[in-house]
Amino acid sequence: MASLVLLVLRLALLPGCGDPPIPDAAPTLTRLELLPADDAEAWPEGQDVGAFDLLDAQGAGPAPRVTVDAPTVRVAPMRLPGGLSVDALLLEDFDGGDPFVVRVSGRFAPGDFDELRVLATSAAPGLVSARFLRGTQSVWMAAALPLVVGADATAYAFPLNVLPEGAPPFSVLELSFEASARRVGLRRVEFVRRALVGRLPDPSRGAALFEIGGDARLAVGLSALRPLEARVLVPPDGRLDFAYARPWQVVLPGRVPALRVEVTADGVERLEASYDLDEPSWRARSLDLPSFAGRTARVRVSVDDRAGGDAACVLADACVWSPGRGPPSVLLVTSDTHRADHLGVARLGVDVRTPVLDAFAARGVLFSDCQSLTNVTNPSHIAIMTGIPPRDTGIDRNNQPLAPAASTLAEAFASAGYTTLAFVSARHLGDPSSGLGQGFDRMAWPVGRAPRAADTVAHALDALDGLGARPVFAWVHVFDAHTPYDPPEDDRELYWPDDRDPYDAQLPAPDVEPSVVAEYFDGLRDLAYPPAMYKGEVTSLDAALDELLSLPRFVGGITAVTADHGESLGQHGIWYTHAGLFRDTIHVPLLLAWPGCPAGRRVDAPVSHADLASTLLDLAGLPASLGGRSLRTAVDGDWREEPRFALSANGFSASVTDHGLQLLLWLRPQKQRQMSEGYEQHEVRLFDLRVDPECEHDLSVARHDDAAALRRLLVDWMLARQDLGLSGTTLDDPSLLENLRQLGYVAGSDAPGPTLWVEDGCARCRAFQSPPR
């Protein structure tokens, strides 16, 4: 994907790292925000070209050309956006049987419209899909859309592929609603025609992430009738970089248009280039601008249809920059579900091989006591990227995205002139589900099963290879240590002998209910097997990181390696998941390296993810625009210990760790599938991590005063919660929720409200309101 994007008509001089001197010849990078040229036509809006009313003329039932498959069909009011109510068809099925199907017979000419819109309500989550048929043959089907639950109607838009001129008309429109929706209301179907370019990001509204095959880039649209322009001061040895694509939404059968790029200055100097738009994938290009050095150049991009029409494409990552000795590139690696003790150099009693990370620690700093702020992927990464704990973002689950109002680490680096890239290995961490795409020029995520670390790293290396010496902030997320713990054969054999079958029916049944063990291990007899496979996954991802961590741009730059949370491997009755806030799930590895750092140092000061964003900005010589402190003070021995708080997924529990003591407080009852024991509301556990790092001995009664003091501290922290407006709308896409369920996550529909703590006078609360007996 590619495009000339983001007109930032200023020169961003990038400061260097904190310790080494700022280079004398720092490169300059100016992003281009390409705006409509003076001769560009207005950006088109969709126009209704027809509608079909699903009610008969009397409003007593389906129209004559409409058939409905549903147990109950009746007419009832439906509320439109804005409060107006109209009569609508109401389809009901409270037994969860077959899908509701609505069929409309007629003549639908594909050349007359390119988008179908359905206005509907739904009483429960589900999917709505649409397709056209000729007779009984399906000839077009749209991707299913998640239903929005609520009383107000929602407009569901289904874009059609561009079809050849003269294609035969459709004879049947079929709408299908999953029966899980239970009750669906709908009144009319609209047919909309849009100009080709109307399917792409409108440049006058700013660039937007545009996804092609799981690779999203900050892009704008343009066409033959809507060229774009920008002006930029070209530095010495300046180069124009950009990327482009012609996505399927604007493909015209049988036609291959071209992208034209023109650079002019002083009305005399001119450089032109043309590229065939013959592929739907992103392509990157560069133009050297030596003759434009020191001049203000006009950059114009347009599409040549070659047939007199209005062909379109998208452009991304447009910038003018000058190679040179510049500020350090910055790399953040997050290893999902990676326990702190599964790192060879940590020396925490686990026999696991991580030679690559051990070597990285030898040239950097190991923080031996780092805690995450939560125990779930998206909220933890959001906390890392913003420096704001889940308490204040209001985000405690994987289907709750970050709102655009947030300020992120990627935005801070982007505003300083860095090219920002993200490559994540879990679908739910992609921008649509997490909101973490903001600030990134490019973000890639899987559309299906999570790739192995080697594949994600290869994708990142390929992207970095095309950026030359441009300063980069790159985030690479790997998912291998997450269930189902299925390492490559070589790594499997390191920790489990070939002649030992963990599923051998002759082995004694484990002393755990079969329903508690994750479905990945159905029939398991030897409970030592999953932890061994977990080790294999860690060793596998370690090897995959070698080439990335060895890149010269990062060896000479700033790199952080951490995890979003840990994992319970049977400890505390939690089997192969990360429920709860015990040490197993919030103690995470943290390794940092930067120019001039004290190589091989181990820092035992208690730190947390709350400080990671500010640390990376500080090491890059940038203002600390996000929350937290720089961890360099911990390296220097000037660290002041502060209480470390955590909030669990779905608000089940909260935790505070202070001066070696950890207190856990359950905010509501918790007993999940992979837990062999449950916890009651307001239950308290206290552990002394200095003598009991495995959290095996609860001291909440024996050391009541310590427990009471920490409980009070934790409750006060929860009551100080701020609503910063950073939580987006919770997503109820059934396919996303099913993906999360398969990964072991709880849906969390019964999550707590905005108040985390309510003292209810229960026996557990009363125990801390008076001295112990």
Side-chain angles (χ1 to χ4, degrees), residues 206-217:
L209 281 176
F210 191 88
E211 182 260 336
I212 299 177
D215 188 351
R217 308 197 191 190

Side-chain angles (χ1 to χ4, degrees), residues 456-478:
T456 300
V457 168
H459 195 177
L461 291 172
D462 182 65
L464 291 163
D465 185 56
L467 295 178
R470 283 160 62 174
V472 167
F473 168 61
W475 168 33
V476 177
H477 162 262
V478 296

Side-chain angles (χ1 to χ4, degrees), residues 55 67 145 199 211 234 294 311 330 453 490 683 694 699:
L55 283 179
T67 61
L145 300 176
R199 303 165 178 231
E211 182 260 336
V234 179
V330 181
D490 289 348
E683 184 172 343
E694 304 299 323
L699 302 175

Side-chain angles (χ1 to χ4, degrees), residues 22 43 70 87 142 171 202 260 291 303 343 356 447 453-454 459 496 498 648 653 684 725 756:
I22 296 175
W43 199 260
D87 284 341
S171 59
D202 180 351
R260 291 178 56 83
S291 60
V303 177
L343 186 67
V356 172
V447 294
H459 195 177
W496 196 263
D498 284 342
S648 83
S653 61
V684 167
L756 288 173

Side-chain angles (χ1 to χ4, degrees), residues 310-325:
D310 190 26
C313 72
V314 284
L315 297 118
D317 194 28
C319 63
V320 171
W321 68 288
S322 174
R325 292 172 51 238

Side-chain angles (χ1 to χ4, degrees), residues 74 82 252 264 296 375 436 452 469 478 635 672 687 701:
R74 59 189 178 93
L252 294 167
T264 58
T296 298
N375 61 336
L436 284 173
R452 297 207 62 82
V478 296
V635 177
Q672 296 168 227
F687 304 101
V701 175

Side-chain angles (χ1 to χ4, degrees), residues 253-610:
R255 291 156 69 175
V256 180
L259 173 70
R260 291 178 56 83
V261 181
E262 303 172 64
V263 185
T264 58
D266 303 328
V268 177
E269 201 70 42
R270 175 179 292 271
L271 175 65
E272 297 183 1
S274 180
Y275 309 93
D276 285 347
L277 294 168
D278 55 359
E279 292 288 341
S281 56
W282 294 106
R283 289 187 172 183
R285 295 288 184 266
S286 295
L287 293 173
D288 291 326
L289 306 175
S291 60
F292 293 86
R295 302 182 185 183
T296 298
R298 183 189 72 161
V299 179
R300 178 184 173 95
V301 289
S302 61
V303 177
D304 181 1
D305 182 52
R306 296 171 173 166
D310 190 26
C313 72
V314 284
L315 297 118
D317 194 28
C319 63
V320 171
W321 68 288
S322 174
R325 292 172 51 238
S329 283
V330 181
L331 172 65
L332 171 62
V333 176
T334 55
S335 178
D336 208 291
T337 322
H338 195 148
R339 293 170 57 111
D341 57 4
H342 279 59
L343 186 67
V345 70
R347 301 191 300 277
L348 292 175
V350 176
D351 180 20
V352 62
R353 304 179 191 184
T354 55
V356 172
L357 290 175
D358 294 351
F360 175 70
R363 63 179 176 88
V365 176
L366 165 67
F367 292 84
S368 66
D369 186 10
C370 179
Q371 286 190 3
S372 62
L373 304 181
T374 185
N375 61 336
V376 65
T377 299
N378 286 22
S380 182
H381 281 97
I382 288 169
I384 289 171
M385 291 294 183
T386 62
I388 301 173
R391 179 197 68 172
D392 296 333
T393 63
I395 298 171
D396 63 6
R397 69 206 66 194
N398 283 334
N399 61 326
Q400 201 175 1
L402 182 67
S407 296
T408 68
L409 187 60
E411 289 174 312
F413 279 112
S415 67
Y418 281 72
T419 295
T420 53
L421 311 172
F423 300 88
V424 302
S425 300
R427 171 190 169 185
H428 56 274
L429 202 50
D431 181 65
S433 305
S434 70
L436 284 173
Q438 54 189 299
F440 284 105
D441 296 309
R442 179 177 180 180
M443 185 179 197
W445 59 86
V447 294
R449 182 176 178 178
R452 297 207 62 82
D455 297 322
T456 300
V457 168
H459 195 177
L461 291 172
D462 182 65
L464 291 163
D465 185 56
L467 295 178
R470 283 160 62 174
V472 167
F473 168 61
W475 168 33
V476 177
H477 162 262
V478 296
F479 202 64
D480 300 48
H482 198 287
T483 48
Y485 311 160
D486 186 23
E489 191 62 33
D490 289 348
D491 298 307
R492 183 188 306 268
E493 293 174 352
L494 288 174
Y495 303 104
W496 196 263
D498 284 342
D499 59 356
R500 184 176 169 188
D501 180 6
Y503 295 89
D504 185 353
Q506 302 301 314
L507 293 173
D511 189 22
V512 177
E513 288 293 326
S515 61
V516 170
V517 179
E519 59 191 60
Y520 309 109
F521 304 112
D522 187 33
L524 180 70
R525 290 304 185 103
D526 192 335
L527 295 180
Y529 180 70
M533 295 303 96
Y534 179 84
K535 290 181 185 178
E537 291 285 23
V538 170
T539 297
S540 175
L541 73 87
D542 176 83
L545 293 174
D546 189 15
E547 188 174 357
L548 180 66
L549 296 176
S550 300
L551 281 183
R553 72 161 67 238
F554 297 133
V555 171
I558 301 162
T559 298
V561 180
T562 190
D564 54 348
H565 53 75
E567 184 82 321
S568 285
L569 301 171
Q571 297 88 354
H572 313 292
I574 301 172
W575 299 89
Y576 322 131
T577 187
H578 30 279
L581 295 173
F582 293 99
R583 186 78 164 162
D584 314 296
T585 55
I586 62 172
H587 185 201
V588 293
L590 176 60
L591 304 169
L592 272 173
W594 66 93
C597 72
R601 178 169 297 180
R602 181 188 181 102
V603 175
D604 295 325
V607 302
S608 80
H609 280 163

